[in-house]
Amino acid sequence: MPAAPTAPIVITDTDGTEFSVPTRRSARARRMLLRVDPARGGPELVLPDGVAQEVGADFARRHIGWLRVRLARMPERIDFRDGAEIPVLGVVHRIRHRPDQRGGVWQLVDPDGSAELHVAGRPEHLARRVADHLKAEARKAIAPLARNHAAALGRPLGRITVRDTASRWGSCSARGDLSFSWRLILAPAGVLDYVVAHEAAHLVEMNHSVRFWRLVDRLMPGYERERAWLKRHGGRLHAYG
C-alpha cells in the first residue's frame, strides 16, 4: 500500500534556519525514518501508522544536525538549459540551443573529443526535449545489454521498460520483466551495464544470495568497481533536469 502524504513539519536549527520537512505515512514502515531524497532535492520524514505527527516532529528536531549536513552535501541541481553540461555514458556534453534549426535533438563530437547536445525548437521546450532524448538513448543502450545477459543465462526475457524511478535503479518482476531508471544514461557505460547485469541475474535468483552475486560476476567480472561508483555517486544523477 503506497504511503500517504501528510502536512509537512517545520523545524528550526539553533541559528534560526528553518527546514520544511514533507512527511508521509506508511503502513509498511516499522519505525520513523528521516532521509534526504536526491530525486526530490530535499528531506522527507516517513511515519508508521499510529505514530503521531508531533512525535515525528520531535524525532526530526533531534536529528536536525544530521539533516543539515546531508542537505549541505547534496549535489547542486543542473537544469537542462542552454550551456549546461551533462554526462552521457560518461562523456560530458554541453547543451546547445539551436532555435533556428529542425531535427529535435542530436549529438555532435568534435575532433578534439568535446561533445555537444544540440536542441532545436522553442526555448520553453528545450528541457523536455533533452529529457525525452536521454530516455530514448537509455532504452537504446539498455535493451541489447538486457537481451545479451538474459541469453547468457539461458532465461527468457519479458518486457523492458525505462522510467524515472527515485528509490531504485532497476527491478525484475516474477514474470521476467525488467525496469530501469533512465538516469542510468547519465552514468558511465560500465555502471549502466552493471545495473542491467544485476537485474538480469534476478531472472535466475530473485534474491541477493551468494549464488546471485556469482551470477552477476559471471555476467560482468569485476562488477564491484561499478557497484561502488553507483553507491558513491548515484545520488548525483538525480540532480539533472
Side-chain angles (χ1 to χ4, degrees):
M1 184 176 180
T6 62
I9 62 172
V10 178
I11 55 178
T12 306
D13 205 348
T14 53
D15 62 358
T17 302
E18 290 188 343
F19 297 94
S20 178
V21 184
T23 63
R24 60 186 175 94
R25 198 167 293 281
S26 172
R28 296 190 300 179
R30 297 183 178 275
R31 57 186 176 84
M32 290 182 290
L33 175 65
L34 179 65
R35 67 189 189 114
V36 172
D37 185 355
R40 291 158 43 95
E44 180 183 57
L45 176 65
V46 180
L47 299 178
D49 283 345
V51 174
Q53 189 153 350
E54 294 78 10
V55 176
D58 182 64
F59 175 78
R61 290 188 193 97
R62 286 187 280 112
H63 293 84
I64 196 169
W66 174 90
L67 179 62
R68 182 179 62 249
V69 171
R70 290 298 299 268
L71 288 173
R73 290 177 180 173
M74 284 195 65
E76 181 182 356
R77 290 205 62 83
I78 299 175
D79 295 329
F80 292 152
R81 55 175 176 76
D82 184 44
E85 292 185 339
I86 61 173
V88 181
L89 292 180
V91 178
V92 175
H93 287 62
R94 185 179 293 275
I95 297 175
R96 296 295 190 190
H97 184 212
R98 302 298 186 213
D100 55 338
Q101 298 189 30
R102 296 182 178 181
V105 181
W106 62 98
Q107 295 172 244
L108 290 179
V109 179
D110 290 336
D112 64 0
S114 61
E116 294 181 339
L117 202 63
H118 290 226
V119 187
R122 298 174 63 86
E124 61 265 31
H125 301 314
L126 185 146
R128 176 184 56 79
R129 289 190 169 186
V130 171
D132 289 345
H133 172 80
L134 293 174
K135 292 172 186 177
E137 290 297 300
R139 293 187 190 96
K140 286 166 55 178
I142 289 171
L145 292 172
R147 287 193 291 265
N148 290 341
H149 289 318
L153 295 172
R155 291 301 173 104
L157 183 62
R159 292 189 309 150
I160 302 172
T161 57
V162 174
R163 301 172 180 171
D164 193 6
T165 53
S167 60
R168 57 177 63 184
W169 298 111
S171 63
C172 175
S173 75
R175 296 181 300 180
D177 297 332
L178 302 185
S179 180
F180 300 92
S181 168
W182 70 263
R183 294 179 179 276
L184 289 168
I185 198 67
L186 301 169
V191 174
L192 181 146
D193 193 9
Y194 156 68
V195 176
V196 179
H198 182 118
E199 299 309 326
H202 281 310
L203 295 170
V204 180
E205 294 285 345
M206 289 292 286
N207 52 59
H208 289 99
S209 63
V210 172
R211 293 191 302 273
F212 167 82
W213 289 111
R214 284 175 181 165
L215 287 174
V216 177
D217 189 61
R218 173 181 156 192
L219 295 172
M220 189 176 188
Y223 69 86
E224 292 90 350
R225 182 180 62 179
E226 282 70 27
R227 186 187 183 203
W229 188 98
L230 196 59
K231 285 186 174 182
R232 187 177 304 114
H233 305 294
R236 186 186 308 166
L237 306 185
H238 291 288
Y240 291 95

